[in-house]
Amino acid sequence: MGFSSNSETAGATTTNTSTTRTFSTGPLENAANNRSATVIAKVLNNGTGQVKAEVAVFKLNGKKKCITRDSVTLSPGTSDFLSVNLNRSVLQFEVEIKITGRSALLGVFGKTAGGNLNPTHRVLNSEFTRVIRKNKSSRTR
């Protein structure tokens, strides 16, 4: 390197106040003939302050399992990407991107074994789902 109700997209706010938000592609099917051999997560910092992006790719067939996790800090006006190989056993996957900072735009793209972009696995900034995790200490017993 993170949406069903899309009330807040990754790039919706442009203030310099630091905040942390996590966005997800949701589950993506990868068992068809047009499977992706690689998934690429792209983050663009359109703001005036630094943005930290943490990308995690999960294998979803069976129990959810993290395939890889990586992070990058982006200066204003820069972008970076994480490319992850999906082996033949990855029949379903999800990409989560945790952003600390503001003005980050996100994209996820699948590529076939032949190196072509796979439109089935293209997730644009406005299509991500914001992930809200409840704090364990706030749960009622």
Side-chain angles (χ1 to χ4, degrees), residues 11-105:
T13 308
T14 57
T15 64
N16 287 329
T17 306
S18 184
T19 186
T20 299
R21 295 159 293 155
T22 301
F23 297 92
S24 171
T25 59
L28 298 171
E29 181 65 34
N30 199 32
N33 289 335
N34 63 335
R35 70 179 310 278
S36 289
T38 306
V39 63
I40 299 164
K42 181 81 171 176
V43 180
L44 167 64
N45 180 357
N46 264 350
T48 58
Q50 283 193 332
V51 167
K52 181 177 181 184
E54 297 177 44
V55 176
V57 180
F58 296 92
K59 177 180 175 180
L60 299 179
N61 39 306
K63 185 174 173 136
K64 183 174 178 176
K65 178 183 176 186
C66 187
I67 297 171
T68 190
R69 186 180 305 272
D70 202 356
S71 64
V72 65
T73 300
L74 300 167
S75 298
T78 64
S79 67
D80 205 346
F81 66 94
L82 174 67
S83 181
V84 177
N85 289 326
L86 302 173
N87 66 39
R88 299 292 299 167
S89 70
V90 179
L91 304 177
Q92 301 134 25
F93 65 95
E94 172 196 17
V95 178
E96 286 188 6
I97 304 174
K98 180 179 173 184
I99 299 294
T100 303
R102 297 286 187 171
S103 299
L105 296 175

Side-chain angles (χ1 to χ4, degrees), residues 122-139:
R122 181 189 78 174
V123 181
L124 302 176
N125 189 75
S126 62
E127 298 171 324
F128 280 82
T129 299
R130 177 137 182 230
V131 176
I132 308 289
R133 292 191 171 93
K134 295 205 185 243
N135 186 338
K136 290 180 182 180
S137 64
S138 66
R139 291 184 185 160

